[in-house]
Coordinates of all heavy atoms in Angstrom, one line a residue:
M694 N 0.9 -1.1 0.0 CA 0.0 0.0 0.0 C 0.8 1.2 0.0 O 0.5 2.3 -0.6 CB -0.9 0.0 1.2 CG -2.2 -0.7 0.9 SD -3.5 -0.8 2.2 CE -3.2 0.5 3.3
L695 N 2.0 1.2 0.6 CA 2.9 2.3 0.7 C 3.4 2.7 -0.7 O 3.3 3.9 -1.1 CB 4.0 2.1 1.6 CG 5.0 3.2 1.9 CD1 4.3 4.4 2.5 CD2 6.2 2.8 2.6
L696 N 3.7 1.7 -1.5 CA 4.0 1.9 -2.9 C 3.0 2.6 -3.8 O 3.3 3.4 -4.5 CB 4.6 0.7 -3.6 CG 6.0 0.3 -3.0 CD1 6.3 -1.0 -3.6 CD2 7.1 1.3 -3.2
Q697 N 1.8 2.1 -3.5 CA 0.6 2.7 -4.2 C 0.4 4.2 -3.8 O 0.2 5.0 -4.7 CB -0.6 1.9 -3.9 CG -0.8 0.5 -4.6 CD -1.0 0.6 -6.1 OE1 -1.0 1.7 -6.6 NE2 -1.1 -0.4 -6.7
L698 N 0.5 4.5 -2.5 CA 0.5 5.8 -2.1 C 1.6 6.7 -2.7 O 1.3 7.8 -3.2 CB 0.7 5.9 -0.6 CG 0.6 7.3 0.0 CD1 -0.7 8.0 -0.3 CD2 0.9 7.2 1.6
L699 N 2.9 6.1 -2.8 CA 3.9 6.9 -3.4 C 3.8 7.1 -4.9 O 3.9 8.2 -5.4 CB 5.2 6.1 -3.2 CG 6.5 6.6 -3.7 CD1 6.9 7.9 -3.1 CD2 7.6 5.6 -3.8
T700 N 3.2 6.2 -5.6 CA 2.8 6.3 -7.0 C 1.7 7.4 -7.1 O 1.9 8.2 -8.1 CB 2.3 5.0 -7.6 OG1 3.2 4.1 -7.4 CG2 1.9 5.2 -9.0
A701 N 0.7 7.4 -6.4 CA -0.5 8.4 -6.4 C 0.2 9.9 -6.0 O -0.2 10.8 -6.8 CB -1.4 8.2 -5.4
V702 N 1.0 9.9 -5.1 CA 1.6 11.3 -4.8 C 2.6 11.7 -6.0 O 2.5 12.9 -6.3 CB 2.5 11.1 -3.4 CG1 3.3 12.4 -3.2 CG2 1.5 10.9 -2.3
A703 N 3.2 10.8 -6.6 CA 4.1 11.2 -7.7 C 3.2 11.7 -8.8 O 3.6 12.6 -9.6 CB 4.9 10.1 -8.1
A704 N 2.0 11.0 -9.1 CA 1.2 11.5 -10.2 C 0.6 12.8 -9.9 O 0.5 13.7 -10.8 CB 0.1 10.4 -10.3
V705 N 0.2 13.0 -8.6 CA -0.3 14.4 -8.3 C 0.8 15.5 -8.5 O 0.5 16.5 -9.0 CB -1.0 14.4 -6.9 CG1 -1.3 15.8 -6.4 CG2 -2.1 13.5 -6.9
A706 N 2.0 15.2 -8.0 CA 3.1 16.1 -8.1 C 3.4 16.5 -9.6 O 3.7 17.5 -10.0 CB 4.4 15.5 -7.5
G707 N 3.4 15.4 -10.4 CA 3.6 15.6 -11.9 C 2.5 16.5 -12.5 O 2.9 17.3 -13.4
A708 N 1.3 16.2 -12.1 CA 0.2 17.0 -12.7 C 0.4 18.5 -12.2 O 0.2 19.5 -13.0 CB -1.1 16.6 -12.2
A709 N 0.9 18.7 -10.9 CA 1.0 20.1 -10.5 C 2.2 20.8 -11.2 O 2.1 21.9 -11.5 CB 1.3 20.0 -9.0
V710 N 3.2 20.1 -11.4 CA 4.4 20.6 -12.1 C 3.9 21.0 -13.6 O 4.4 22.0 -14.0 CB 5.5 19.6 -12.2 CG1 6.7 20.1 -13.1 CG2 6.2 19.5 -10.6
S711 N 3.2 20.1 -14.2 CA 2.7 20.4 -15.7 C 1.9 21.6 -15.6 O 1.9 22.4 -16.5 CB 2.1 19.3 -16.3 OG 0.8 18.8 -15.6
L712 N 1.0 21.8 -14.7 CA 0.2 22.9 -14.7 C 0.9 24.3 -14.4 O 0.6 25.3 -15.0 CB -0.9 22.8 -13.6 CG -2.0 21.8 -13.9 CD1 -3.0 21.6 -12.8 CD2 -2.8 22.2 -15.1
L713 N 1.9 24.1 -13.6 CA 2.8 25.3 -13.3 C 3.7 25.7 -14.5 O 3.9 26.8 -14.8 CB 3.7 25.1 -12.0 CG 2.9 24.9 -10.7 CD1 4.0 24.5 -9.6 CD2 2.3 26.4 -10.4
A714 N 4.1 24.7 -15.3 CA 5.0 24.9 -16.4 C 4.1 25.2 -17.7 O 4.8 25.4 -18.7 CB 5.8 23.7 -16.7
E715 N 2.8 25.3 -17.5 CA 2.0 25.5 -18.8 C 2.2 26.8 -19.5 O 2.4 26.9 -20.7 CB 0.5 25.5 -18.3 CG -0.4 25.7 -19.5 CD -1.9 25.6 -19.0 OE1 -2.1 25.5 -17.9 OE2 -2.7 25.9 -19.9
G716 N 2.5 27.9 -18.8 CA 2.8 29.2 -19.4 C 4.2 29.5 -19.6 O 4.6 30.7 -20.0
S717 N 5.2 28.5 -19.5 CA 6.6 28.9 -19.4 C 7.2 28.9 -20.9 O 8.3 29.2 -21.1 CB 7.2 28.0 -18.5 OG 7.2 26.6 -18.9
G718 N 6.4 28.3 -21.9 CA 6.9 28.4 -23.2 C 7.5 27.2 -23.8 O 7.5 26.1 -23.2
A719 N 8.3 27.4 -24.9 CA 8.8 26.2 -25.5 C 10.0 25.6 -24.8 O 10.4 24.5 -25.0 CB 9.3 26.7 -27.0
G720 N 10.6 26.5 -23.9 CA 11.8 25.8 -23.2 C 11.4 24.7 -22.2 O 12.1 23.7 -22.2
A721 N 10.3 24.8 -21.7 CA 9.8 23.7 -20.7 C 9.4 22.6 -21.6 O 9.7 21.4 -21.2 CB 8.6 24.2 -20.0
I722 N 8.7 22.8 -22.7 CA 8.3 21.6 -23.6 C 9.5 20.9 -24.1 O 9.5 19.7 -24.2 CB 7.4 22.2 -24.7 CG1 6.0 22.7 -24.1 CG2 7.1 21.1 -25.7 CD1 5.2 23.4 -25.0
S723 N 10.5 21.6 -24.6 CA 11.7 20.9 -25.2 C 12.5 20.1 -24.1 O 13.1 19.2 -24.6 CB 12.7 22.0 -25.8 OG 13.1 22.8 -24.8
G724 N 12.3 20.3 -22.9 CA 12.9 19.5 -21.8 C 12.0 18.4 -21.4 O 12.4 17.3 -21.0
I725 N 10.8 18.5 -21.4 CA 9.7 17.6 -21.0 C 9.5 16.5 -22.0 O 9.4 15.3 -21.6 CB 8.5 18.2 -20.4 CG1 8.8 19.0 -19.2 CG2 7.4 17.1 -20.2 CD1 7.6 20.0 -18.8
L726 N 9.3 16.9 -23.2 CA 9.0 15.9 -24.3 C 9.9 14.7 -24.4 O 9.6 13.6 -24.4 CB 8.8 16.8 -25.6 CG 8.3 15.8 -26.7 CD1 6.8 15.3 -26.4 CD2 8.2 16.7 -28.0
P727 N 11.3 15.0 -24.5 CA 12.2 13.9 -24.6 C 12.1 12.9 -23.4 O 12.3 11.7 -23.5 CB 13.6 14.5 -24.7 CG 13.3 15.9 -25.2 CD 12.0 16.3 -24.7
F728 N 11.9 13.6 -22.2 CA 11.9 12.7 -21.0 C 10.6 11.8 -21.1 O 10.7 10.6 -20.7 CB 11.8 13.6 -19.8 CG 11.8 12.9 -18.5 CD1 12.9 12.3 -18.0 CD2 10.5 12.9 -17.8 CE1 12.8 11.5 -16.8 CE2 10.5 12.1 -16.6 CZ 11.6 11.5 -16.2
T729 N 9.5 12.4 -21.5 CA 8.3 11.6 -21.6 C 8.4 10.5 -22.6 O 8.0 9.4 -22.5 CB 7.0 12.4 -21.9 OG1 7.1 13.5 -20.8 CG2 5.9 11.7 -21.9
A730 N 8.9 10.8 -23.8 CA 9.0 9.9 -24.9 C 10.0 8.7 -24.6 O 9.8 7.5 -24.8 CB 9.5 10.5 -26.1
G731 N 11.1 9.1 -23.8 CA 12.1 8.1 -23.4 C 11.5 7.2 -22.3 O 11.8 6.0 -22.3
G732 N 10.5 7.6 -21.5 CA 9.8 6.7 -20.6 C 8.9 5.8 -21.4 O 9.0 4.6 -20.9
F733 N 8.2 6.2 -22.4 CA 7.3 5.3 -23.0 C 8.3 4.3 -23.8 O 7.9 3.1 -23.9 CB 6.5 6.0 -24.1 CG 5.3 6.6 -23.5 CD1 5.2 8.0 -23.4 CD2 4.4 5.8 -22.9 CE1 4.0 8.6 -22.9 CE2 3.2 6.4 -22.4 CZ 3.1 7.7 -22.3
I734 N 9.3 4.7 -24.4 CA 10.3 3.8 -25.1 C 10.9 2.7 -24.2 O 11.0 1.7 -24.5 CB 11.4 4.5 -26.0 CG1 10.6 5.4 -27.0 CG2 12.3 3.6 -26.5 CD1 11.6 6.4 -27.6
Y735 N 11.3 3.3 -23.0 CA 11.8 2.3 -22.0 C 10.8 1.3 -21.6 O 11.2 0.1 -21.5 CB 12.2 3.1 -20.8 CG 12.7 2.3 -19.6 CD1 14.1 1.6 -19.7 CD2 11.9 2.1 -18.6 CE1 14.5 0.9 -18.6 CE2 12.3 1.3 -17.5 CZ 13.6 0.6 -17.6 OH 14.0 -0.2 -16.5
L736 N 9.5 1.7 -21.3 CA 8.6 0.7 -20.8 C 8.4 -0.2 -22.0 O 8.2 -1.5 -21.7 CB 7.4 1.4 -20.4 CG 7.3 2.1 -19.1 CD1 6.0 2.9 -18.9 CD2 7.4 1.2 -18.0
G737 N 8.3 0.1 -23.2 CA 8.0 -0.8 -24.3 C 9.0 -1.8 -24.6 O 8.8 -2.9 -24.9
T738 N 10.3 -1.2 -24.4 CA 11.4 -2.2 -24.8 C 11.8 -3.1 -23.6 O 12.2 -4.3 -23.9 CB 12.6 -1.4 -25.4 OG1 12.9 -0.4 -24.3 CG2 12.3 -0.7 -26.7
V739 N 11.8 -2.6 -22.5 CA 12.3 -3.4 -21.3 C 11.3 -4.2 -20.6 O 11.6 -5.4 -20.3 CB 13.0 -2.4 -20.3 CG1 13.4 -3.1 -19.0 CG2 14.2 -1.6 -20.9
S740 N 10.1 -3.7 -20.5 CA 9.1 -4.6 -19.7 C 8.2 -5.3 -20.7 O 7.7 -6.5 -20.5 CB 8.3 -3.7 -18.8 OG 7.5 -2.7 -19.4
V741 N 7.7 -4.7 -21.8 CA 6.6 -5.4 -22.6 C 7.2 -6.3 -23.6 O 6.7 -7.4 -23.9 CB 5.8 -4.2 -23.2 CG1 4.8 -4.9 -24.2 CG2 5.0 -3.4 -22.2
L742 N 8.3 -5.9 -24.4 CA 8.8 -6.6 -25.4 C 9.3 -8.0 -25.0 O 9.0 -9.0 -25.7 CB 9.9 -5.8 -26.1 CG 10.4 -6.4 -27.5 CD1 9.2 -6.3 -28.5 CD2 11.5 -5.4 -28.1
P743 N 10.1 -8.1 -24.0 CA 10.5 -9.5 -23.6 C 9.4 -10.4 -23.3 O 9.5 -11.7 -23.5 CB 11.4 -9.2 -22.3 CG 11.9 -7.9 -22.5 CD 10.7 -7.2 -23.1
E744 N 8.4 -9.9 -22.6 CA 7.2 -10.8 -22.3 C 6.5 -11.2 -23.6 O 6.1 -12.3 -23.7 CB 6.2 -10.0 -21.4 CG 5.0 -10.8 -21.0 CD 4.1 -10.1 -20.0 OE1 4.7 -9.3 -19.3 OE2 3.0 -10.3 -20.0
L745 N 6.3 -10.3 -24.6 CA 5.8 -10.8 -25.8 C 6.5 -11.8 -26.6 O 6.0 -12.7 -27.2 CB 5.6 -9.5 -26.7 CG 4.5 -8.5 -26.1 CD1 4.5 -7.3 -27.0 CD2 3.1 -9.1 -26.2
L746 N 7.9 -11.6 -26.5 CA 8.6 -12.5 -27.2 C 8.6 -14.0 -26.5 O 8.8 -14.9 -27.3 CB 10.1 -12.0 -27.3 CG 10.4 -10.8 -28.1 CD1 11.8 -10.4 -27.9 CD2 10.0 -11.0 -29.5
R747 N 8.5 -14.0 -25.3 CA 8.3 -15.4 -24.6 C 7.0 -16.0 -25.0 O 7.0 -17.2 -25.0 CB 8.4 -15.1 -23.1 CG 9.8 -15.3 -22.6 CD 9.9 -15.3 -21.1 NE 10.1 -13.8 -20.8 CZ 9.7 -13.2 -19.9 NH1 8.8 -13.7 -19.1 NH2 10.0 -11.9 -19.7
E748 N 5.9 -15.3 -25.0 CA 4.6 -15.9 -25.2 C 4.1 -16.3 -26.6 O 3.5 -17.3 -26.8 CB 3.5 -15.0 -24.6 CG 3.6 -14.8 -23.1 CD 2.5 -13.8 -22.6 OE1 1.7 -13.4 -23.3 OE2 2.6 -13.6 -21.4
G749 N 4.4 -15.5 -27.6 CA 4.1 -15.8 -29.0 C 5.1 -16.5 -29.8 O 6.3 -16.6 -29.4
G750 N 4.7 -16.8 -31.0 CA 5.6 -17.3 -32.0 C 6.3 -16.2 -32.7 O 6.2 -14.9 -32.3
P751 N 7.2 -16.5 -33.6 CA 7.9 -15.5 -34.4 C 7.1 -14.5 -35.1 O 7.4 -13.4 -35.2 CB 8.8 -16.3 -35.3 CG 8.8 -17.8 -34.8 CD 7.6 -17.8 -34.0
A752 N 6.0 -14.9 -35.7 CA 5.1 -14.1 -36.4 C 4.4 -13.2 -35.5 O 4.4 -11.9 -35.8 CB 4.0 -14.9 -37.3
Q753 N 3.9 -13.6 -34.4 CA 3.3 -12.7 -33.5 C 4.3 -11.7 -32.8 O 4.0 -10.6 -32.7 CB 2.7 -13.6 -32.3 CG 1.9 -12.7 -31.3 CD 0.7 -12.2 -31.9 OE1 0.1 -12.6 -32.8 NE2 0.2 -11.1 -31.2
A754 N 5.5 -12.1 -32.6 CA 6.5 -11.2 -32.0 C 6.9 -10.1 -33.1 O 7.1 -8.9 -32.8 CB 7.8 -12.0 -31.8
L755 N 7.0 -10.5 -34.4 CA 7.2 -9.5 -35.5 C 6.1 -8.5 -35.5 O 6.3 -7.3 -35.7 CB 7.5 -10.3 -36.8 CG 7.7 -9.3 -38.0 CD1 9.0 -8.5 -37.7 CD2 7.7 -10.0 -39.3
L756 N 4.8 -8.9 -35.4 CA 3.7 -8.1 -35.4 C 3.8 -7.1 -34.3 O 3.6 -5.9 -34.5 CB 2.4 -8.8 -35.5 CG 2.0 -9.4 -36.8 CD1 0.8 -10.4 -36.6 CD2 1.8 -8.5 -37.9
Q757 N 4.0 -7.6 -33.2 CA 4.1 -6.8 -31.9 C 5.3 -5.7 -32.0 O 5.1 -4.5 -31.6 CB 4.3 -7.5 -30.7 CG 3.1 -8.5 -30.4 CD 1.9 -7.8 -30.0 OE1 1.9 -6.6 -29.6 NE2 0.7 -8.5 -30.1
L758 N 6.4 -6.1 -32.6 CA 7.5 -5.3 -32.8 C 7.1 -4.2 -33.8 O 7.5 -3.0 -33.6 CB 8.7 -6.0 -33.2 CG 10.0 -5.3 -33.4 CD1 10.4 -4.6 -32.2 CD2 11.1 -6.1 -34.0
L759 N 6.5 -4.5 -34.9 CA 6.0 -3.6 -35.9 C 5.0 -2.5 -35.1 O 5.0 -1.4 -35.5 CB 5.5 -4.2 -37.1 CG 6.4 -5.0 -37.9 CD1 5.7 -5.7 -39.0 CD2 7.5 -4.0 -38.5
A760 N 4.2 -3.0 -34.4 CA 3.3 -2.2 -33.6 C 4.0 -1.2 -32.8 O 3.6 0.0 -32.6 CB 2.2 -2.9 -32.9
L761 N 5.0 -1.7 -32.0 CA 5.7 -0.8 -31.2 C 6.5 0.3 -32.0 O 6.5 1.5 -31.6 CB 6.8 -1.6 -30.4 CG 7.7 -0.9 -29.5 CD1 7.0 -0.4 -28.3 CD2 8.8 -1.8 -29.0
L762 N 7.2 -0.1 -33.0 CA 7.7 0.8 -34.0 C 6.7 1.9 -34.6 O 7.1 3.0 -34.8 CB 8.5 0.1 -35.1 CG 9.7 -0.8 -34.5 CD1 10.3 -1.5 -35.7 CD2 10.8 0.2 -33.8
A763 N 5.6 1.4 -34.8 CA 4.6 2.4 -35.5 C 4.2 3.3 -34.3 O 4.1 4.6 -34.6 CB 3.4 1.6 -35.9
G764 N 4.1 3.0 -33.2 CA 3.9 3.8 -32.0 C 5.0 4.9 -31.8 O 4.7 6.1 -31.6
L765 N 6.2 4.4 -31.9 CA 7.3 5.3 -31.9 C 7.3 6.2 -33.0 O 7.6 7.5 -32.7 CB 8.6 4.4 -31.9 CG 10.0 5.2 -31.8 CD1 10.0 6.0 -30.5 CD2 11.1 4.3 -32.0
A766 N 7.0 5.9 -34.1 CA 6.9 6.8 -35.3 C 5.8 7.8 -35.1 O 6.0 9.0 -35.5 CB 6.7 6.0 -36.7
M767 N 4.7 7.4 -34.5 CA 3.5 8.4 -34.3 C 4.0 9.4 -33.3 O 3.8 10.6 -33.5 CB 2.4 7.6 -33.8 CG 1.6 6.9 -34.8 SD 0.1 6.3 -34.1 CE 0.2 4.7 -34.9
M768 N 4.8 9.1 -32.2 CA 5.2 10.0 -31.3 C 6.3 11.0 -31.9 O 6.2 12.1 -31.7 CB 6.1 9.3 -30.1 CG 5.1 8.7 -29.2 SD 5.8 8.1 -27.6 CE 6.8 6.8 -28.1
L769 N 7.1 10.5 -32.9 CA 8.0 11.3 -33.6 C 7.4 12.3 -34.4 O 7.7 13.4 -34.5 CB 9.0 10.5 -34.3 CG 10.2 9.8 -33.5 CD1 10.9 8.8 -34.4 CD2 11.0 10.8 -32.9
L770 N 6.2 11.9 -35.1 CA 5.4 12.7 -36.0 C 4.8 13.8 -35.3 O 4.7 14.9 -35.6 CB 4.5 11.9 -36.8 CG 5.1 11.1 -38.0 CD1 4.0 10.2 -38.6 CD2 5.6 12.1 -39.0
I771 N 4.2 13.4 -34.1 CA 3.5 14.5 -33.3 C 4.5 15.4 -32.9 O 4.2 16.6 -32.7 CB 2.7 13.7 -32.1 CG1 1.5 12.9 -32.7 CG2 2.3 14.7 -31.0 CD1 0.9 12.0 -31.7
A772 N 5.6 15.0 -32.3 CA 6.7 15.9 -31.8 C 7.1 16.9 -32.9 O 7.4 18.0 -32.7 CB 7.8 15.1 -31.2
H773 N 7.2 16.3 -34.1 CA 7.8 17.2 -35.2 C 6.8 18.2 -35.6 O 7.2 19.4 -35.9 CB 8.1 16.2 -36.3 CG 8.7 17.0 -37.5 ND1 9.9 17.6 -37.4 CD2 8.3 17.1 -38.8 CE1 10.2 18.2 -38.6 NE2 9.1 18.0 -39.4
Y774 N 5.5 17.8 -35.8 CA 4.5 18.7 -36.2 C 3.8 19.6 -35.1 O 3.0 20.4 -35.5 CB 3.5 17.9 -37.2 CG 4.1 17.5 -38.4 CD1 4.3 16.1 -38.6 CD2 4.5 18.4 -39.4 CE1 4.9 15.8 -39.8 CE2 5.1 18.0 -40.5 CZ 5.4 16.7 -40.8 OH 5.8 16.3 -41.9
E775 N 4.0 19.3 -34.0 CA 3.3 20.1 -32.9 C 4.0 21.4 -32.8 O 4.7 22.1 -32.7 CB 3.2 19.3 -31.7 CG 2.3 20.1 -30.7 CD 2.0 19.3 -29.6 OE1 1.4 18.2 -29.7 OE2 2.2 19.7 -28.4

């Protein structure tokens, strides 16, 4: 329960920081966006991908990898055009 409380407090702190940084301009966004994208990439490659490779066959693993790469490409496109 303590770890759940810590996670909830971190989520509230992150929301507060993002609300405070809302009007600070492009400088804050250029520092936050790579950190957030890196977090998603880390979660996808370290925790999700090995589990998918263990459970399915080669064809299923390839489809999952392509879906992961498509998600990464979407994040890059959104970051580039926003």
Side-chain angles (χ1 to χ4, degrees):
M694 269 180 30
L695 184 61
L696 290 175
Q697 288 287 4
L698 178 64
L699 181 65
T700 304
V702 169
V705 171
V710 168
S711 68
L712 289 174
L713 291 173
E715 181 180 356
S717 63
I722 293 173
S723 67
I725 293 172
L726 186 62
F728 180 75
T729 305
F733 281 116
I734 294 169
Y735 173 77
L736 286 175
T738 56
V739 173
S740 63
V741 175
L742 192 59
E744 183 177 329
L745 291 173
L746 291 174
R747 267 185 266 139
E748 290 181 4
Q753 182 67 23
L755 180 63
L756 287 174
Q757 296 293 340
L758 182 62
L759 290 174
L761 179 70
L762 292 174
L765 179 63
M767 284 185 224
M768 285 192 291
L769 288 172
L770 285 172
I771 289 170
H773 180 69
Y774 289 112
E775 188 170 307

